[in-house]
Amino acid sequence: MFRAYAIHLYSRLSIIRHRMNPACIFCKIASGETQANIVYQDELVTAFRDIHPVAPIHVLIVPNKHIQSINEVTSDDEQILGYLFTTACKVADMDGITEGGYRTIVNTGSHGGQTVFHLHMHVIGGQRMHYPMG
Ligand code: 5GP
Ligand code: ZN
Protein backbone atom coordinates (compact mmCIF):
# COMPACT_ATOMS: atom_id res chain seq x y z
CA MET A 1 0.00 0.00 0.00
CA PHE A 2 2.71 2.46 1.09
CA ARG A 3 4.96 1.30 -1.78
CA ALA A 4 2.17 1.89 -4.34
CA TYR A 5 1.58 5.40 -2.92
CA ALA A 6 5.34 6.16 -2.99
CA ILE A 7 5.57 5.04 -6.65
CA HIS A 8 2.50 7.15 -7.53
CA LEU A 9 3.99 10.22 -5.78
CA TYR A 10 7.39 9.69 -7.40
CA SER A 11 5.87 9.45 -10.88
CA ARG A 12 3.73 12.58 -10.31
CA LEU A 13 6.79 14.57 -9.19
CA SER A 14 8.77 13.29 -12.20
CA ILE A 15 6.06 14.55 -14.56
CA ILE A 16 5.99 17.96 -12.81
CA ARG A 17 9.81 18.22 -12.99
CA HIS A 18 9.67 17.51 -16.70
CA ARG A 19 7.42 20.55 -17.32
CA MET A 20 9.10 22.97 -14.93
CA ASN A 21 11.19 26.07 -15.40
CA PRO A 22 14.33 25.49 -13.30
CA ALA A 23 14.57 29.19 -12.37
CA CYS A 24 10.98 29.46 -11.11
CA ILE A 25 10.22 29.30 -7.36
CA PHE A 26 6.66 28.00 -7.86
CA CYS A 27 7.90 25.23 -10.20
CA LYS A 28 10.36 24.27 -7.46
CA ILE A 29 7.56 24.16 -4.88
CA ALA A 30 5.28 22.10 -7.16
CA SER A 31 8.07 19.61 -7.87
CA GLY A 32 9.06 19.29 -4.20
CA GLU A 33 12.50 20.80 -4.77
CA THR A 34 11.68 23.75 -2.46
CA GLN A 35 9.75 23.36 0.75
CA ALA A 36 6.31 24.96 1.22
CA ASN A 37 3.22 24.31 3.30
CA ILE A 38 1.30 22.34 0.65
CA VAL A 39 -2.41 21.95 1.42
CA TYR A 40 -3.43 20.12 -1.77
CA GLN A 41 -1.70 18.59 -4.79
CA ASP A 42 -2.71 16.42 -7.73
CA GLU A 43 -1.56 15.82 -11.32
CA LEU A 44 -2.60 19.31 -12.48
CA VAL A 45 -2.23 21.76 -9.59
CA THR A 46 -0.44 22.48 -6.32
CA ALA A 47 -1.95 24.62 -3.53
CA PHE A 48 0.22 25.97 -0.72
CA ARG A 49 0.12 28.65 1.98
CA ASP A 50 1.48 32.07 1.02
CA ILE A 51 4.73 32.85 2.82
CA HIS A 52 3.44 36.37 3.64
CA PRO A 53 -0.27 35.93 4.32
CA VAL A 54 -2.47 39.05 4.12
CA ALA A 55 -5.39 37.38 5.95
CA PRO A 56 -5.92 34.38 8.27
CA ILE A 57 -6.30 32.15 5.18
CA HIS A 58 -4.05 32.86 2.19
CA VAL A 59 -3.43 30.00 -0.20
CA LEU A 60 -1.81 30.11 -3.65
CA ILE A 61 -2.96 27.66 -6.33
CA VAL A 62 -0.57 27.07 -9.23
CA PRO A 63 -0.74 24.89 -12.33
CA ASN A 64 2.02 22.26 -12.09
CA LYS A 65 2.95 23.21 -15.66
CA HIS A 66 4.92 26.48 -15.93
CA ILE A 67 2.74 29.24 -17.44
CA GLN A 68 4.14 32.72 -16.89
CA SER A 69 0.90 34.67 -16.61
CA ILE A 70 -2.55 35.11 -18.15
CA ASN A 71 -0.77 36.82 -21.07
CA GLU A 72 0.75 33.47 -22.06
CA VAL A 73 -2.33 31.21 -21.83
CA THR A 74 -3.66 29.51 -24.95
CA SER A 75 -6.84 27.59 -25.68
CA ASP A 76 -4.93 24.44 -24.64
CA ASP A 77 -4.89 25.82 -21.08
CA GLU A 78 -8.66 26.23 -20.72
CA GLN A 79 -9.03 23.03 -18.70
CA ILE A 80 -6.36 24.02 -16.21
CA LEU A 81 -7.74 27.56 -15.87
CA GLY A 82 -11.17 26.20 -14.95
CA TYR A 83 -9.52 23.69 -12.65
CA LEU A 84 -7.94 26.52 -10.64
CA PHE A 85 -11.49 27.55 -9.64
CA THR A 86 -12.53 23.98 -8.80
CA THR A 87 -9.45 23.74 -6.60
CA ALA A 88 -10.22 27.11 -4.97
CA CYS A 89 -13.62 25.69 -4.01
CA LYS A 90 -11.90 22.60 -2.53
CA VAL A 91 -9.29 24.64 -0.62
CA ALA A 92 -12.00 26.99 0.76
CA ASP A 93 -13.94 23.98 1.99
CA MET A 94 -10.83 22.44 3.62
CA ASP A 95 -10.04 25.75 5.35
CA GLY A 96 -13.64 26.33 6.49
CA ILE A 97 -14.21 29.62 4.63
CA THR A 98 -16.89 28.51 2.14
CA GLU A 99 -19.77 30.01 4.06
CA GLY A 100 -18.05 33.23 5.14
CA GLY A 101 -16.73 33.81 1.63
CA TYR A 102 -13.33 34.66 0.29
CA ARG A 103 -11.54 36.54 -2.49
CA THR A 104 -9.78 34.97 -5.49
CA ILE A 105 -7.17 37.09 -7.28
CA VAL A 106 -4.92 36.52 -10.29
CA ASN A 107 -2.43 39.35 -10.75
CA THR A 108 -0.93 39.90 -14.20
CA GLY A 109 2.19 41.87 -15.09
CA SER A 110 3.67 44.82 -13.26
CA HIS A 111 0.54 47.03 -13.21
CA GLY A 112 -1.39 44.01 -11.94
CA GLY A 113 1.07 43.59 -9.09
CA GLN A 114 2.43 40.22 -10.23
CA THR A 115 5.75 39.49 -8.50
CA VAL A 116 6.14 35.77 -9.23
CA PHE A 117 5.92 34.96 -12.92
CA HIS A 118 4.25 31.57 -12.69
CA LEU A 119 0.48 31.94 -13.04
CA HIS A 120 -1.21 31.60 -9.64
CA MET A 121 -4.55 32.21 -7.99
CA HIS A 122 -4.67 33.73 -4.49
CA VAL A 123 -7.45 32.41 -2.24
CA ILE A 124 -7.79 34.87 0.63
CA GLY A 125 -10.28 34.64 3.49
CA GLY A 126 -10.97 34.19 7.16
CA GLN A 127 -11.94 37.86 7.56
CA ARG A 128 -14.09 40.45 5.75
CA MET A 129 -12.23 41.82 2.72
CA HIS A 130 -11.67 45.54 2.25
CA TYR A 131 -12.95 47.71 -0.62
CA PRO A 132 -12.40 49.40 -2.97
CA MET A 133 -10.04 47.27 -5.03
CA GLY A 134 -7.46 48.95 -7.23
P1 5GP B 1 1.82 38.01 -6.82
O1 5GP B 1 2.21 39.34 -6.22
O2 5GP B 1 2.81 37.57 -7.89
O3 5GP B 1 0.40 37.94 -7.26
O4 5GP B 1 1.92 36.97 -5.63
C1 5GP B 1 3.05 36.27 -5.30
C2 5GP B 1 2.83 35.73 -3.91
O5 5GP B 1 3.78 34.70 -3.70
C3 5GP B 1 3.05 36.76 -2.80
O6 5GP B 1 1.86 36.88 -2.03
C4 5GP B 1 4.21 36.19 -1.99
O7 5GP B 1 4.07 36.39 -0.61
C5 5GP B 1 4.19 34.71 -2.37
N1 5GP B 1 5.50 34.06 -2.36
C6 5GP B 1 6.64 34.52 -2.95
N2 5GP B 1 7.64 33.64 -2.77
C7 5GP B 1 7.12 32.61 -2.05
C8 5GP B 1 7.68 31.40 -1.56
O8 5GP B 1 8.87 31.09 -1.73
N3 5GP B 1 6.85 30.57 -0.87
C9 5GP B 1 5.53 30.87 -0.65
N4 5GP B 1 4.81 30.00 0.03
N5 5GP B 1 4.98 32.01 -1.11
C10 5GP B 1 5.76 32.87 -1.80
ZN1 ZN C 1 7.11 28.01 -12.84
Side-chain angles (χ1 to χ4, degrees):
M1 178 68 185
F2 174 75
R3 191 166 174 273
Y5 177 72
I7 291 169
H8 173 72
L9 189 63
Y10 179 78
S11 82
R12 181 198 294 165
L13 292 178
S14 307
I15 292 166
I16 295 172
R17 283 201 182 107
H18 182 67
R19 296 158 149 199
M20 72 184 249
N21 172 341
C24 170
I25 183 66
F26 287 176
C27 280
K28 288 182 182 170
I29 288 173
S31 68
E33 197 182 321
T34 293
Q35 208 257 327
N37 189 345
I38 292 177
V39 295
Y40 178 79
Q41 186 172 52
D42 63 22
E43 283 71 17
L44 293 178
V45 296
T46 301
F48 52 94
R49 302 212 181 273
D50 196 293
I51 204 165
H52 296 126
V54 297
I57 305 296
H58 189 169
V59 172
L60 302 172
I61 307 170
V62 306
N64 292 336
K65 165 191 163 189
H66 182 83
I67 304 171
Q68 238 182 250
S69 77
I70 289 181
N71 285 336
E72 282 72 35
V73 299
T74 69
S75 55
D76 288 348
D77 299 316
E78 283 171 6
Q79 186 203 1
I80 188 70
L81 295 177
Y83 198 63
L84 292 177
F85 282 94
T86 316
T87 309
C89 177
K90 207 175 284 176
V91 163
D93 188 40
M94 289 187 316
D95 270 338
I97 56 171
T98 302
E99 209 173 309
Y102 49 93
R103 183 171 284 168
T104 50
I105 301 173
V106 180
N107 294 323
T108 304
S110 68
H111 283 189
Q114 186 175 8
T115 57
V116 177
F117 286 82
H118 178 132
L119 179 68
H120 51 281
M121 176 184 280
H122 297 254
V123 178
I124 304 170
Q127 67 183 30
R128 186 171 291 279
M129 295 296 127
H130 305 293
Y131 273 92
M133 288 193 279

